[in-house]
Amino acid sequence: MRPKIYLFGDSITEQSFDDGGWGAALANHFSRTVDVVLRGYSGYNTRWAFKVFDRVFPAAETGGSEGAAPPLAVTVFFGANDACLPDGYAAFQHVPVDEYKRNLHSIVSSLKNRWPKTLVILIAPPPIDEDERLRHPYAENPSGLPERTNEAAGVFAKACVEAAGECGIPVVDLWTRMQQYPEWRKAFLSDGLHLTPEGNKVVFKEVMKKLNEGGISLGKLEVDLPVLADIDHADPLKAFQ
Amino acid sequence: MRPKIYLFGDSITEQSFDDGGWGAALANHFSRTVDVVLRGYSGYNTRWAFKVFDRVFPAAETGGSEGAAPPLAVTVFFGANDACLPDGYAAFQHVPVDEYKRNLHSIVSSLKNRWPKTLVILIAPPPIDEDERLRHPYAENPSGLPERTNEAAGVFAKACVEAAGECGIPVVDLWTRMQQYPEWRKAFLSDGLHLTPEGNKVVFKEVMKKLNEGGISLGKLEVDLPVLADIDHADPLKAFQ
């Protein structure tokens, strides 16, 4: 059976198979070796994500009584919604930062309890372009203020990095990484929050780096069926015995 | 458990999660409802594909003794390699057209025996731009002749359409469909054989049409967890009870 990598997160994960998406890029990279499984839920924060954990990862599907193989890796990518301002129009999605951090701990513990050897990678939320958020509201917004700020996203990103450190697992600090590029607002964000194809490339590269450091790379994975280069032109069927 | 759609085919399937790919587009379209599972094997013809059938679809994974749910659909997309000329440099991939048709019957029967209700969709090979094939050989080619011709691809496409008719299942006749556009060579093919993003869109649209006609569409599929629009802003956790 082919091993799996689960992508668990909010809309930035749900949309990761759209044109140029980081999820599709992972699936393409591992096309002969790994099933990349999409578990993205638009709008979700860590409170809701932890509530649905057992339905996202049902025991029967993922290594309960039937002994299915544990996934190679799981990316956990939340925070963009938790960081909605508590007094903005998206306040119903907000989660206080202390609870956000606790929820990340709970999600990571649940994954690690079930699959001690699975590589769990946290991904911190991206930075926010507030001007673009005002141009792309997803609800009526008479206040004239953005529902998310870059500063708040940064507080949650920092908490995510801390949680990863406390859990002893790798983390992609997307908020910090993206802002190392002067053109991050236009280059990486399509609406001040979601990712352009270039922004998706940043996520893909950073996740690939963490997978690689965690021992997950094409060189170490078994291809389950013969590749064309290993098929003898004079006797092709030999490869399929 | 989320239902699955398997994509079984050669390199045009294996590459279907690359930028603009038809597989990624399906995964994106069904992001909250279906797992789109990539089973593409570059260079494979139907002879090899049938040889590995039980390893591509292991009984334990796909509804054997453990009673896992049958997949919603399987696309079977071979023929581009079977149609390699028997006297060209890719002759080791060639399969006579009568055997190609028999192999398609065998693959479809194996799928239908295991899962009588699963929608099996055949996809015929795309047309060939011979000039481009000469510019993109994948082996030494002193003959100066292309290893595939459009005429041969057409013979295999016709056999694929016939096989689908005999099996009573839907078919995407890609060879015919693409050539209905005058600019098909440059618009749809990147190297005279594989697909551009525009070519991928044709496959995506045609497969979507067949899925829809077979009763598989977003409107009829169950979303396994609450969508944001159904979450009460005043009491979000209610949706997760």
Side-chain angles (χ1 to χ4, degrees):
Chain A
M1 261 196 222
R2 205 176 274 202
K4 292 185 171 72
I5 294 176
Y6 282 91
L7 312 183
F8 183 35
D10 55 31
S11 58
I12 305 175
T13 297
E14 184 176 322
Q15 297 171 11
S16 70
F17 282 70
D18 207 346
D19 278 353
W22 65 278
L26 284 174
N28 185 50
H29 181 83
F30 290 110
S31 60
R32 290 292 289 271
T33 49
V34 175
D35 285 334
V36 177
V37 185
L38 180 56
R39 289 294 180 271
Y41 303 93
S42 282
Y44 279 37
N45 54 37
T46 53
R47 187 186 291 163
W48 307 348
F50 187 54
K51 276 268 177 211
V52 299
F53 182 87
D54 287 330
R55 289 153 76 189
V56 174
F57 301 103
E61 185 180 351
T62 53
S65 54
E66 277 132 53
L72 288 178
V74 181
T75 59
V76 177
F77 188 176
F78 291 99
N81 298 312
D82 303 64
C84 286
L85 299 181
D87 52 1
Y89 70 78
F92 75 106
Q93 293 169 281
H94 170 76
V95 168
V97 69
D98 291 345
E99 184 192 333
Y100 168 69
K101 203 170 154 182
R102 277 201 310 277
N103 291 337
L104 286 181
H105 271 277
S106 301
I107 291 168
V108 173
S109 298
S110 300
L111 291 167
K112 282 292 189 182
N113 280 342
R114 191 172 296 177
W115 303 305
K117 290 181 177 167
T118 293
L119 180 67
V120 179
I121 301 171
L122 288 186
I123 307 176
I128 297 293
D129 179 352
E130 292 156 30
D131 292 344
E132 280 297 306
R133 291 311 302 147
L134 284 173
R135 278 191 278 273
H136 296 277
Y138 54 89
E140 272 189 63
N141 184 21
S143 75
L145 296 169
E147 88 294 1
R148 290 168 169 85
T149 63
N150 193 38
E151 188 188 351
V155 171
F156 282 74
K158 187 162 169 281
C160 179
V161 171
E162 286 169 5
E166 289 155 13
C167 295
I169 64 170
V171 60
V172 173
D173 181 359
L174 200 59
W175 188 83
T176 300
R177 186 82 188 94
M178 284 190 159
Q179 290 181 88
Q180 289 166 349
Y181 298 81
E183 295 303 317
W184 63 270
R185 286 178 184 79
K186 296 284 165 272
F188 298 149
L189 305 176
S190 61
D191 61 359
L193 164 64
H194 297 97
L195 307 180
T196 61
E198 283 306 305
N200 273 286
K201 269 187 206 155
V202 176
V203 179
F204 170 67
K205 279 186 198 162
E206 296 296 319
V207 170
M208 284 290 293
K209 205 183 291 175
K210 299 300 173 190
L211 289 173
N212 202 41
E213 289 166 7
I216 299 169
S217 63
L218 290 185
K220 293 181 186 165
L221 290 164
E222 213 175 318
V223 174
D224 50 11
L225 289 172
V227 296
L228 191 59
D230 294 338
I231 293 174
D232 181 352
H233 291 208
D235 184 7
L237 287 180
K238 204 170 56 186
F240 298 98
Q241 300 309 324
Chain B
M1 261 198 224
R2 206 176 274 201
K4 292 185 172 70
I5 294 177
Y6 282 91
L7 313 183
F8 183 35
D10 56 29
S11 58
I12 305 175
T13 297
E14 184 176 321
Q15 297 171 11
S16 71
F17 281 70
D18 206 347
D19 277 353
W22 65 278
L26 284 174
N28 185 51
H29 181 82
F30 290 110
S31 61
R32 290 291 289 270
T33 49
V34 175
D35 285 334
V36 177
V37 185
L38 179 57
R39 290 293 180 272
Y41 303 93
S42 281
Y44 279 37
N45 54 37
T46 53
R47 187 187 290 162
W48 307 348
F50 186 56
K51 276 268 176 212
V52 299
F53 181 87
D54 288 330
R55 288 152 78 188
V56 174
F57 301 103
E61 184 180 351
T62 53
S65 53
E66 278 133 53
L72 290 178
V74 180
T75 59
V76 177
F77 189 175
F78 290 99
N81 299 312
D82 303 64
C84 286
L85 299 182
D87 51 0
Y89 69 78
F92 75 106
Q93 292 169 281
H94 170 75
V95 168
V97 70
D98 292 344
E99 184 192 334
Y100 168 69
K101 204 170 153 182
R102 277 200 310 278
N103 290 338
L104 286 180
H105 270 278
S106 301
I107 291 168
V108 173
S109 298
S110 300
L111 291 167
K112 282 290 189 184
N113 280 343
R114 191 173 295 178
W115 305 304
K117 291 182 176 167
T118 293
L119 181 68
V120 179
I121 301 170
L122 288 186
I123 307 176
I128 296 294
D129 179 352
E130 292 156 29
D131 292 345
E132 279 298 304
R133 291 310 301 148
L134 285 173
R135 278 191 278 274
H136 297 277
Y138 55 90
E140 272 188 64
N141 184 21
S143 74
L145 295 169
E147 89 294 0
R148 290 168 169 85
T149 64
N150 194 38
E151 187 188 351
V155 170
F156 282 73
K158 186 161 168 281
C160 178
V161 172
E162 286 169 6
E166 289 154 14
C167 295
I169 63 171
V171 60
V172 173
D173 181 359
L174 200 59
W175 188 82
T176 299
R177 185 82 188 95
M178 284 190 159
Q179 291 181 88
Q180 288 167 349
Y181 297 81
E183 295 302 318
W184 63 271
R185 286 177 184 80
K186 296 284 165 271
F188 298 149
L189 305 176
S190 61
D191 60 359
L193 165 64
H194 296 97
L195 307 180
T196 62
E198 282 308 305
N200 273 285
K201 268 186 207 155
V202 176
V203 179
F204 170 67
K205 279 185 198 161
E206 297 295 319
V207 170
M208 284 291 292
K209 204 183 292 174
K210 299 300 174 191
L211 290 172
N212 201 43
E213 288 167 6
I216 299 170
S217 64
L218 289 185
K220 293 181 185 163
L221 290 165
E222 213 175 318
V223 174
D224 51 10
L225 288 172
V227 295
L228 192 59
D230 294 337
I231 292 174
D232 182 352
H233 291 207
D235 185 7
L237 287 181
K238 204 169 56 187
F240 298 98
Q241 299 310 324

